[in-house]
Structures are given as structure tokens and as C-alpha cells.
Amino acid sequence: MAAANRNIADARIASLSEENQFDAAYKAIMQLAMVGLLANG
């Protein structure tokens, strides 16, 4: 969860390129999906 939160924060940094913001947001989504899968077997 902490890594996903960091990536969400990174995705909001306006000085990053849109590509890097998207990459950070995508990574956060994947991390949160993994948390959900692990929590539900």
C-alpha cells in the first residue's frame, strides 16, 4: 500500500511529463490490484 501511495503522489507531480505521470498512475493501479488479489486469495 505504501508503494501505491507513493506512486499516486508521483502521478500528481505537475512537473513530470505526462508519460511519467501515466506510468506512475498505472503502476499504482497494478499495485493496488495485487493487494486486492492477495487479500482475497
Side-chain angles (χ1 to χ4, degrees), residues 1-12 21-36:
M1 290 293 293
N5 286 329
R6 285 191 302 272
N7 280 309
I8 291 168
D10 288 348
R12 293 179 174 159
Q21 287 177 311
F22 177 85
D23 286 344
Y26 182 82
K27 189 173 181 181
I29 291 167
M30 295 301 290
Q31 289 165 327
L32 292 170
M34 184 62 71
V35 168

